[in-house]
């Protein structure tokens, strides 16, 4: 949700009259604060700073205040979608770089998954990894359930 700022302006308007109250929509003029994005995407301020330190986000600065652009907001959405799909930040950085350069590895067919452009091989590799992780989790769950059943007996 964009930040709304209200500023009193005693400057004359274009027709010579003085404007007493001027409302500015920060998403158009100033962008988004770190709090705006954290609240909107349900992440911590630390997460956003971490993504910045890794070069995934590049907010402008106004003194010590970070000002995120619409481009930063869109990149954050893609980063979070990539994390949700189980990709590492290194992989996500490469995907974002490919998006900006509109380059796809070897002209391989690709599809958009939640806004991320993924090649067929990326999708297949990630599915294999996630299925493997699911099998490990199911094994761990079965072991814990058996142990709990023995304790309850």
């Amino acid at each position: 949700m964009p930040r709304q700022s209200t500023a009193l302006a005693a400057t004359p308007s274009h027709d010579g009259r003085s404007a007493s109250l001027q409302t500015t929509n920060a998403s158009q003029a100033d962008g988004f604060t770190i709090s705006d994005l954290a609240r909107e995407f349900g992440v911590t301020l630390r997460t956003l700073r971490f993504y910045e330190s890794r070069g995934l986000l590049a907010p402008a600065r106004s003194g010590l205040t970070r000002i995120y652009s619409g481009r930063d907001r869109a990149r954050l959405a893609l980063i979070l979608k990539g994390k949700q799909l189980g990709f590492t930040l290194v992989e996500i950085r490469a995907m974002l770089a490919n998006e900006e350069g509109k380059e796809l590895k070897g002209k391989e067919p690709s599809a958009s998954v939640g806004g991320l452009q993924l090649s067929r091989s990326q999708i297949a590799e990630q599915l294999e990894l996630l299925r493997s992780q699911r099998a490990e989790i199911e094994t761990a769950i079965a072991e814990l359930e058996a142990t709990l059943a023995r304790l309850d007996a």
Side-chain angles (χ1 to χ4, degrees):
M1 181 171 265
R3 170 181 59 165
Q4 297 288 327
S5 65
T6 305
L8 288 177
T11 57
S13 62
H14 290 296
D15 60 2
R17 288 181 290 163
S18 182
S20 62
L21 188 64
Q22 180 181 4
T23 303
T24 327
N25 186 334
S27 67
Q28 293 171 351
D30 300 331
F32 304 90
T33 65
I34 192 168
S35 298
D36 292 336
L37 291 185
R39 195 172 22 258
E40 180 179 351
F41 289 96
V43 297
T44 64
L45 304 179
R46 184 176 179 185
T47 297
L48 293 172
R49 290 184 198 110
F50 179 76
Y51 291 159
E52 181 183 351
S53 74
R54 295 295 184 254
L56 295 168
L57 297 174
R61 298 279 183 153
S62 176
L64 294 176
T65 304
R66 291 170 171 86
I67 306 296
Y68 293 87
S69 65
R71 178 180 175 273
D72 291 320
R73 184 184 173 282
R75 284 177 67 92
L76 178 59
L78 293 176
I79 292 164
L80 296 175
K81 177 50 85 173
K83 291 299 293 173
Q84 180 188 17
L85 294 172
F87 290 100
T88 66
L89 290 180
V90 171
E91 292 167 325
I92 293 168
R93 180 184 295 120
M95 289 176 210
L96 292 172
N98 285 342
E99 278 293 311
E100 288 174 357
K102 299 295 180 201
E103 307 163 2
L104 289 175
K105 298 175 185 173
K107 305 285 184 192
E108 187 177 1
S110 66
S112 178
V113 180
L116 279 176
Q117 203 64 27
L118 302 176
S119 69
R120 187 181 199 299
S121 62
Q122 286 175 311
I123 294 168
E125 287 173 21
Q126 196 63 20
L127 277 171
E128 184 180 328
L129 173 68
L130 292 172
R131 287 179 179 136
S132 171
Q133 289 175 340
R134 180 174 58 192
E136 291 172 9
I137 290 169
E138 287 172 354
T139 300
I141 288 171
E143 186 176 343
L144 289 171
E145 286 175 339
T147 303
L148 185 60
R150 282 195 312 269
L151 289 172
D152 290 341

